[in-house]
Amino acid sequence: GQNIDQPTEMTATEGAIVQINCTYQTSGFNGLFWYQQHAGEAPTFLSYNVLDGLEEKGRFSSFLSRSKGYSYLLLKELQMKDSASYLCAVRDGENTGFQKLVFGTGTRLLVSP
Amino acid sequence: EPEVTQTPSHQVTQMGQEVILRCVPISNHLYFYWYRQILGQKVEFLVSFYNNEISEKSEIFDDQFSVERPDGSNFTLKIRSTKLEDSAMYFCASSEALQSTDTQYFGPGTRLTVL
């Protein structure tokens, strides 16, 4: 089976740091992606992890532990425009074949002044 | 910066009618995908496409659905006889290759409303 869990909603204050967790159980694993999605818009790519550890990209960082089936997205120096849904997605598939993304339900982040 | 484009942005149709959703993937990308998102729900995989054939499809992608690459640039999703439950946002995505680092880039979506 495939299961990806994220908190439904989080709130934070402008300028703060927030960590959005994601746990997954999938039949195959070939990378974990984080996307940002504003209401009514397309998911936009934020970060990618395939090996254990932390990937940093400006104000955004993402961490992966494959043995624990766990990832988090860390957002620093929050801005009002960061209010959006954050989608955790696992690329399901082995080295060959076509690798669909399996998405979690997303975490809606509300940033307040 | 290259981007995936989709038309129309919004399609309203009557139940039982056929619809065709169009996508223009990023020009050097070879792998194409359709996903859908019912309002308030998660993004769900429908189908992947490479070298003019379907490579994988989900349970959602039944005989009512088909995909085509009619020319060198467009990638279409056809729903033959729409149902109320087909109302959703449909996203096209493309990726350059299948290496583990390749990212799928999403288009802006087509909101399909079936009445």
Side-chain angles (χ1 to χ4, degrees):
Chain A
Q2 297 172 326
N3 196 38
I4 299 176
D5 286 319
Q6 308 176 232
T8 304
E9 190 171 293
M10 299 181 71
T11 58
T13 308
E14 200 173 11
I17 299 173
V18 71
Q19 177 175 311
I20 302 174
N21 295 324
C22 171
T23 57
Y24 64 89
Q25 294 171 313
T26 55
S27 53
F29 179 86
N30 200 15
L32 187 143
F33 293 76
W34 284 95
Y35 284 82
Q36 181 191 60
Q37 187 180 31
H38 285 97
E41 297 183 12
T44 54
F45 170 72
L46 288 178
S47 72
Y48 164 76
N49 297 72
V50 68
L51 300 176
D52 290 353
L54 189 68
E55 293 285 338
E56 297 190 75
K57 213 175 176 183
R59 293 189 301 115
F60 298 89
S61 304
S62 58
F63 171 83
L64 175 67
S65 168
R66 288 171 297 171
S67 61
K68 295 181 179 176
Y70 168 69
S71 173
Y72 68 72
L73 179 70
L74 194 71
L75 293 79
K76 302 175 191 173
E77 301 169 16
L78 281 173
Q79 302 173 10
M80 297 296 291
K81 67 177 182 179
D82 296 330
S83 292
S85 287
Y86 291 85
L87 314 183
C88 174
V90 171
R91 180 151 55 195
D92 186 7
E94 300 303 323
N95 292 324
T96 58
F98 294 84
Q99 299 164 354
K100 63 180 182 284
L101 291 177
V102 179
F103 283 87
T105 52
T107 298
R108 188 163 56 186
L109 175 65
L110 302 173
V111 180
S112 58
Chain B
E1 185 176 327
E3 57 183 20
V4 178
T5 59
Q6 291 184 243
T7 54
S9 57
H10 193 181
Q11 174 96 43
V12 180
T13 190
Q14 295 290 325
M15 191 170 56
Q17 296 296 304
E18 175 183 285
V19 295
I20 297 176
L21 310 183
R22 292 184 167 78
C23 168
V24 179
I26 295 173
S27 62
N28 64 332
H29 285 189
L30 301 176
Y31 302 88
F32 314 121
Y33 310 82
W34 283 101
Y35 293 82
R36 79 168 186 193
Q37 186 176 32
I38 295 171
L39 187 64
Q41 298 186 24
K42 63 183 176 181
V43 177
E44 300 174 289
F45 168 78
L46 291 178
V47 66
S48 57
F49 190 87
Y50 169 69
N51 199 25
N52 283 319
E53 60 183 28
I54 290 173
S55 47
E56 186 177 4
K57 57 184 180 180
S58 72
E59 292 175 355
I60 302 167
F61 195 90
D62 61 22
D63 292 344
Q64 294 299 313
F65 291 86
S66 62
V67 289
E68 196 178 32
R69 189 150 161 85
D71 53 43
S73 60
N74 289 285
F75 178 50
T76 62
L77 174 69
K78 182 192 291 186
I79 309 175
R80 288 191 185 82
S81 178
T82 50
K83 307 184 188 72
L84 295 176
E85 54 265 36
D86 294 328
S87 294
M89 195 76 153
Y90 287 81
F91 294 108
C92 173
S94 69
S95 64
E96 187 171 0
L98 285 179
Q99 295 166 19
S100 61
T101 52
D102 284 322
T103 298
Q104 292 179 28
Y105 292 93
F106 284 74
T110 293
R111 182 172 299 282
L112 176 65
T113 303
V114 182
L115 303 175

